[in-house]
Amino acid sequence: MALSAQRIPRWLNSIKLNSLITAAQLRSHYRRPGPTLLHRLSARPQVSSDNGFLQWGLKTVRTSSKWNSTSQCTKSSGQEIDSAQSTTLPSVSEQPQKTPNFDSELSLEDLDDVPPLSPLQPVSEQEAVRIIADPPLPPDSFTLRDYVDHSETLQKLVLLGVDLSKIEKHPEAANLLLRLDFEKDINQLLLFLKDLGIEDSQLGAFLTKNYAIFSEDLENLKTRVAYLQSKSFSKSDITQMVRKAPFLLSFSVERLDNRLGFFQKELELNVKKTRDLVVRLPRLLTGSLEPVKENMKVYRLELGFKRNEIQHMITQIPKMLTANKRKLTETFDFVHNVMSVPHHVIVRFPQVFNARLFKVKERHLFLAYLGRAQYDPAKANYISLDKLVSVPDEIFCEEIAKASVQDFEKFLKTL
């Protein structure tokens, strides 16, 4: 059916508009993605069941698209559109309109959608010589050192002073470090520790010793600090405790509360003395309780000290609670039975349990040789146990033994 002369121009305009929309749709649908090659380190390191070492995989993901087939599809679609236009109006004698060149008229926004060059694109020999390839990641390794160049997290931890050679002895901790992001997972932890009072120069040693803190939730750490503050521990007390016992923050509030209750009940100490005890020796809250229980029995049953005497000694020397049982009994046997020092004098100077036994023996025997071994405070020429074990050899010889260092050294050769 022939079209009227008045309707032909409007009909032609509609065809041009449809052609323009179709071409734009084809370009948006058949974009020009070049073939790409993506490399990423496996986010989940595994421990081999055969050798127990870290297993890492370099996963390769290939994505490709056939630009030739896409181009052919686009061309064939365009040919079908042109043929449809040429056969629709055989009787129209208007001059053909010039088809706009969309490729030459792309806007700046369209240029952003153009993909980068394909890694499979041929490279000349001159360009290939200038390419510097990164060394590949080892599929498995004995050490974290092989991954430092590829991990920003490990690099920054090394700059902080963290000893990776000690952490890598624990495969689970090593695997965790390789999965962590420094800015997201570690930075807030460092700010928390610095606010707690850990200095920059101490962060490396702290994180090396308590590597388990990387797996702790930051809110849990804040809760444990808040608990200690609720028990009247000052900020300086908490800082001192965390420095001496880095694992302290890894213990739950329930465990910390049980430990404080144990020492207060077992030693029959008041709240203040209990607090002072754990501040001076915070590993009482993190270590095993078995040595403590065993030593309490030794003091009461084997060495014959009364409960109040034990309280006095451990508040003066907290290490007596965790000292080696054999060392305690041997020191007491020599001081009490050989040197004839009674219990009440030992209680006044519990430092003797902290001294090396061979030094106590050498000095006592020298004093006995000189006739000056007198440890009774009620008699003349009294020598306190504190001075006997704490002063250096020069002062011991000059002020206590009243002899020269050479005489003391000659005597030691006779033993």
Side-chain angles (χ1 to χ4, degrees):
M1 179 177 179
L3 296 173
S4 63
Q6 296 178 353
R7 297 176 61 185
I8 287 177
R10 284 184 293 174
W11 187 73
L12 285 173
N13 290 334
S14 65
I15 289 179
K16 294 176 184 178
L17 181 59
N18 290 336
S19 300
L20 180 61
I21 295 174
T22 304
Q25 290 175 344
L26 287 172
R27 283 186 177 84
S28 63
H29 183 69
Y30 296 103
R31 289 187 178 176
R32 199 173 178 181
T36 59
L37 184 63
L38 306 178
H39 297 276
R40 65 183 179 88
L41 184 63
S42 175
R44 290 188 177 182
Q46 300 175 352
V47 179
S48 172
S49 59
D50 297 331
N51 53 22
F53 297 128
L54 302 178
Q55 297 294 323
W56 297 90
L58 183 63
K59 296 186 177 179
T60 303
V61 182
R62 295 181 180 272
T63 60
S64 62
S65 61
K66 296 182 179 179
W67 168 244
N68 294 333
S69 61
T70 304
S71 301
Q72 293 175 359
C73 180
T74 306
K75 291 180 179 178
S76 62
S77 300
Q79 292 174 358
E80 291 176 2
I81 295 173
D82 294 339
S83 63
Q85 291 180 353
S86 62
T87 57
T88 304
L89 294 175
S91 61
V92 178
S93 59
E94 285 192 6
Q95 294 295 329
Q97 298 293 327
K98 185 178 180 180
T99 303
N101 188 352
F102 294 101
D103 292 334
S104 63
E105 298 179 6
L106 286 174
S107 63
L108 294 177
E109 290 78 4
D110 295 332
L111 292 177
D112 294 336
D113 295 334
V114 178
L117 294 177
S118 169
L120 299 181
Q121 183 176 352
V123 180
S124 64
E125 293 184 2
Q126 292 78 6
E127 294 175 341
V129 172
R130 294 194 296 268
I131 295 177
I132 301 177
D134 293 331
L137 284 172
D140 52 64
S141 176
F142 296 93
T143 174
L144 286 173
R145 181 174 53 190
D146 294 335
Y147 301 96
V148 171
D149 292 338
H150 308 275
S151 172
E152 181 183 1
T153 298
L154 294 182
Q155 293 171 9
K156 291 185 176 181
L157 289 176
V158 170
L159 292 177
L160 285 173
V162 177
D163 190 346
L164 298 181
S165 64
K166 294 183 179 179
I167 297 180
E168 67 190 14
K169 296 177 182 179
H170 309 274
E172 293 183 0
N175 290 337
L176 175 62
L177 286 186
L178 289 169
R179 293 197 302 267
L180 293 180
D181 179 84
F182 189 88
E183 297 298 330
K184 180 181 177 182
D185 303 316
I186 300 180
N187 194 40
Q188 292 299 318
L189 173 62
L190 296 180
L191 293 177
F192 167 77
L193 293 176
K194 292 180 67 174
D195 183 66
L196 199 60
I198 306 299
E199 299 178 1
D200 292 345
S201 59
Q202 300 171 331
L203 286 173
F206 179 89
L207 295 175
T208 300
K209 192 167 185 179
N210 186 14
Y211 51 84
I213 200 172
F214 290 116
S215 61
E216 292 285 350
D217 183 77
L218 186 59
E219 293 301 320
N220 290 338
L221 298 177
K222 293 180 179 179
T223 300
R224 293 159 193 170
V225 173
Y227 166 77
L228 293 175
Q229 292 174 340
S230 69
K231 297 298 181 181
S232 300
F233 287 92
S234 65
K235 184 176 180 179
S236 59
D237 290 339
I238 297 174
T239 301
Q240 180 179 343
M241 293 167 66
V242 172
R243 287 175 181 172
K244 292 182 177 180
F247 284 101
L248 179 66
L249 293 178
S250 297
F251 288 86
S252 65
V253 171
E254 292 76 10
R255 181 166 182 174
L256 293 175
D257 188 68
N258 291 337
R259 287 298 179 93
L260 290 174
F262 168 81
F263 288 109
Q264 185 174 356
K265 180 180 179 180
E266 182 71 16
L267 305 179
E268 297 182 359
L269 299 175
N270 57 34
V271 174
K272 184 180 183 305
K273 288 185 176 181
T274 303
R275 184 168 56 245
D276 293 341
L277 179 70
V278 297
V279 168
R280 294 180 60 187
L281 192 65
R283 71 167 182 261
L284 291 174
L285 299 177
T286 61
S288 173
L289 292 178
E290 293 306 316
V292 176
K293 296 177 180 178
E294 185 68 22
N295 285 350
M296 291 297 294
K297 293 180 181 179
V298 170
Y299 292 131
R300 287 196 301 263
L301 303 179
E302 297 186 25
L303 306 186
F305 289 100
K306 300 177 182 179
R307 183 172 293 273
N308 62 332
E309 292 176 335
I310 298 174
Q311 290 177 349
H312 176 79
M313 289 191 298
I314 62 175
T315 54
Q316 295 295 317
I317 310 294
K319 289 183 179 180
M320 290 180 62
L321 286 171
T322 57
N324 180 269
K325 176 184 175 180
R326 180 179 176 180
K327 180 178 182 296
L328 288 176
T329 55
E330 289 180 351
T331 300
F332 176 81
D333 180 66
F334 185 83
V335 173
H336 181 67
N337 297 324
V338 177
M339 297 173 58
S340 302
V341 180
H343 281 77
H344 69 276
V345 175
I346 297 177
V347 171
R348 290 178 56 189
F349 303 102
Q351 297 88 342
V352 68
F353 288 105
N354 223 17
R356 295 181 178 179
L357 182 58
F358 78 89
K359 178 182 287 189
V360 177
K361 290 182 178 180
E362 289 176 349
R363 292 187 175 185
H364 166 72
L365 293 176
F366 184 58
L367 290 175
Y369 172 77
L370 298 175
R372 303 183 62 86
Q374 206 289 96
Y375 309 108
D376 188 350
K379 297 181 181 180
N381 299 323
Y382 162 71
I383 297 176
S384 69
L385 293 180
D386 183 26
K387 290 184 177 180
L388 178 69
V389 300
S390 61
V391 298
D393 287 344
E394 292 78 7
I395 297 178
F396 166 75
C397 293
E398 181 180 352
E399 297 183 2
I400 300 176
K402 307 297 182 181
S404 65
V405 177
Q406 292 75 15
D407 292 337
F408 181 51
E409 291 175 349
K410 289 180 181 179
F411 173 79
L412 294 180
K413 292 179 181 180
T414 63
L415 296 179

